[in-house]
Amino acid sequence: MPSSGAIQFIVLVCSVAVSFFPDEFDSVVSPWLHPKHDSISGLHWPTNISKDTTSVGCHSHNDYWREVPLLSALQAGCISIEADIWLIDQAHQNYPRDLYVGHTASSLRAHRTLRNMYIDPLVKILDRKNPIAAFYSVVGQPPNGVFDGKPAQSLILLVDIKTDSGTTWQHVVEHLAPLRRRGYLTYFNGVEVVNRPVTVVGTGNTPFNLVTADPNYRDIFFDAPLHYLADATTSPKGNTNPHDNTNAGQGLTGTSPNTAPSAFNSTNSFYASTSFKDTIGLPRPFRLTAKQVDTIRAQIRGAHRRGLKVRYWGVPSWPQSLRNYLWSVLVREGVDVLNVDDLQSAVREEWMGGLDGDV
Ligand SMILES: *[C@@H]1O[C@H](CO)[C@@H](O)[C@H](O)[C@H]1NC(C)=O
Ligand SMILES: *[C@@H]1O[C@H](CO)[C@@H](O)[C@H](O)[C@H]1NC(C)=O
């Protein structure tokens, strides 16, 4: 019979393993220096990304030079990640029919599929975080999320559909099955939205009519057109019908010119996003005008009133002093996530000095 000391030791080792994965501990320190080691087998795991370094969410877009961009983003503490999705439909020697991830069609690689890069790693991470999932569901506790110390924080997976809307959408729905089956997906049950470890949001060619087709269940939410939701403002750019602005990007597919701003609310949408460059405009010379700030405020009010999170893309990122200034204004005005290309600088909050000489 083992001594009670031995039993305690075993329990301790197990609990540490669940929290910190000590077998991979060494690799935690240098993820940025050795991106080629980003793989699920050499899993880097943040020891403590719960530390509140930022008051705003970090949204990581297409960190594709890393083998497993998901892990790099999690490690940087990003609560939101984005993948551009392409359906390759015809059988092809190098590309079997599947959903591929990449900025452009020419950047696709055979192993870079939605399943390999996002779905399988998320299932693996979440299974490790929920070793006794059955127990949790018995006691009615939601499963733990991916973030240590913030188990209720959902990871937002923004899926930017690049290819044909309806067909690709159907494949995305099917690809999410392993997460859905385990109860890891945030869903709407016809009455309320139930928060779970992963919240999937569709953008690009995601069809709004299919997102909302079932009034009693959905686990993919829409990325609403922020510029269309602006509350009253003095700016003529404040509230434009998305169908009048073909450059504005997402928010068009599966809507009609008659779709009212009131169609978008938290039962069907998560983000409200727009192109900063197209709907606010570039700061000239290096400061936003009062009118531009007014438009930002009107957009944020309109989105928040509907329970949606605000995200701008296409915020000028150079020079860095300009980017820092813009990020600081956006955070001050209540933007919910910052789109970051440079993960490290976002987490360091070096942009917090950007408000000198503010409008
Ligand atoms: C994680 O960071 C928070 C905030 O900085 C701190 O309070 C907590 O003790 C840290 N936890 C661990 C395990 O280091
Ligand atoms: C959300 O919007 C839909 C239309 O898209 C509407 O049918 C529904 O009643 C709205 N729900 C809430 C809670 O406002």
Side-chain angles (χ1 to χ4, degrees):
M1 202 178 140
S3 71
S4 68
I7 291 169
Q8 274 172 9
F9 176 75
I10 290 162
V11 169
L12 179 67
V13 167
C14 289
S15 71
V16 168
V18 167
S19 313
F20 297 114
F21 315 147
D23 48 328
E24 284 117 11
F25 209 88
D26 285 348
S27 58
V28 164
V29 287
S30 57
W32 307 102
L33 303 178
H34 306 290
K36 65 177 182 293
H37 292 148
D38 280 6
S39 70
I40 197 70
S41 55
L43 179 67
H44 304 306
W45 192 253
T47 52
N48 188 2
I49 58 176
S50 64
K51 52 184 187 290
D52 261 326
T53 50
T54 50
S55 53
V56 62
C58 154
H59 172 82
S60 163
H61 184 207
N62 291 343
D63 202 7
Y64 294 142
W65 59 89
R66 302 189 186 282
E67 217 32 53
V68 184
L70 167 69
L71 300 182
S72 309
L74 293 181
Q75 198 149 33
C78 288
I79 58 161
S80 183
I81 54 179
E82 177 169 354
D84 295 342
I85 302 295
W86 306 74
L87 172 66
I88 304 283
D89 216 356
Q90 318 107 307
H92 181 286
Q93 199 183 357
N94 298 319
Y95 297 92
R97 179 191 170 101
D98 208 337
L99 292 176
Y100 293 88
V101 176
H103 274 292
T104 58
S106 63
S107 69
L108 305 183
R109 298 291 175 270
H111 64 288
R112 303 202 148 206
T113 61
L114 178 63
R115 190 175 283 113
N116 284 344
M117 294 180 77
Y118 292 93
I119 307 295
D120 286 352
L122 279 173
V123 166
K124 194 160 183 177
I125 289 166
L126 287 167
D127 280 353
R128 290 171 106 164
K129 292 277 179 182
N130 296 283
I132 43 173
F135 170 74
Y136 283 108
S137 54
V138 166
V139 297
Q141 289 261 355
N144 292 318
V146 297
F147 298 105
D148 282 339
K150 266 195 187 172
Q153 173 66 56
S154 193
L155 174 72
I156 317 307
L157 173 58
L158 186 63
V159 172
D160 185 344
I161 294 184
K162 295 294 187 188
T163 41
D164 174 72
S165 166
T167 324
T168 313
W169 158 266
Q170 200 48 51
H171 283 266
V172 171
V173 170
E174 287 161 17
H175 267 69
L176 295 173
L179 291 165
R180 183 178 298 120
R181 206 165 44 233
R182 291 167 168 82
Y184 292 155
L185 293 182
T186 296
Y187 63 99
F188 173 67
N189 60 15
V191 177
E192 59 180 350
V193 175
V194 180
N195 187 57
R196 286 291 179 261
V198 178
T199 302
V200 181
V201 183
T203 190
N205 291 338
T206 297
F208 184 65
N209 55 337
L210 296 186
V211 167
T212 53
D214 185 344
N216 296 315
Y217 183 84
R218 64 189 63 120
D219 54 29
I220 303 180
F221 296 84
F222 200 61
D223 184 23
L226 176 60
H227 50 289
Y228 191 37
L229 306 185
D231 277 348
T233 168
T234 52
S235 164
K237 277 188 163 181
N239 187 343
T240 53
N241 189 313
H243 291 270
D244 298 338
N245 184 352
T246 51
N247 288 328
Q250 92 310 329
L252 298 169
T253 308
T255 69
S256 80
N258 301 325
T259 303
S262 61
F264 306 100
N265 58 46
S266 59
T267 72
N268 55 47
S269 304
F270 181 84
Y271 280 129
S273 311
T274 195
S275 160
F276 186 87
K277 193 159 64 68
D278 291 343
T279 68
I280 305 299
L282 294 177
R284 295 187 201 282
F286 262 49
R287 283 294 178 264
L288 292 164
T289 62
K291 203 164 197 170
Q292 285 173 311
V293 173
D294 185 47
T295 305
I296 293 172
R297 286 180 183 159
Q299 292 182 344
I300 293 175
R301 265 200 314 275
H304 283 177
R305 196 162 55 72
R306 296 177 172 92
L308 309 185
K309 307 278 188 204
V310 173
R311 181 182 71 99
Y312 285 98
W313 44 275
V315 177
S317 61
W318 191 91
Q320 200 168 325
S321 59
L322 174 63
R323 184 203 64 191
N324 291 350
Y325 160 72
L326 292 174
W327 281 10
S328 300
V329 171
L330 293 178
V331 170
R332 184 196 65 195
E333 297 301 334
V335 157
D336 297 283
V337 296
L338 290 175
N339 253 49
V340 295
D341 294 321
D342 178 350
L343 294 176
Q344 282 178 301
S345 92
V347 191
R348 275 195 226 114
E349 268 193 301
E350 61 182 49
W351 44 273
M352 280 310 278
L355 279 174
D356 303 344
D358 175 33
V359 293

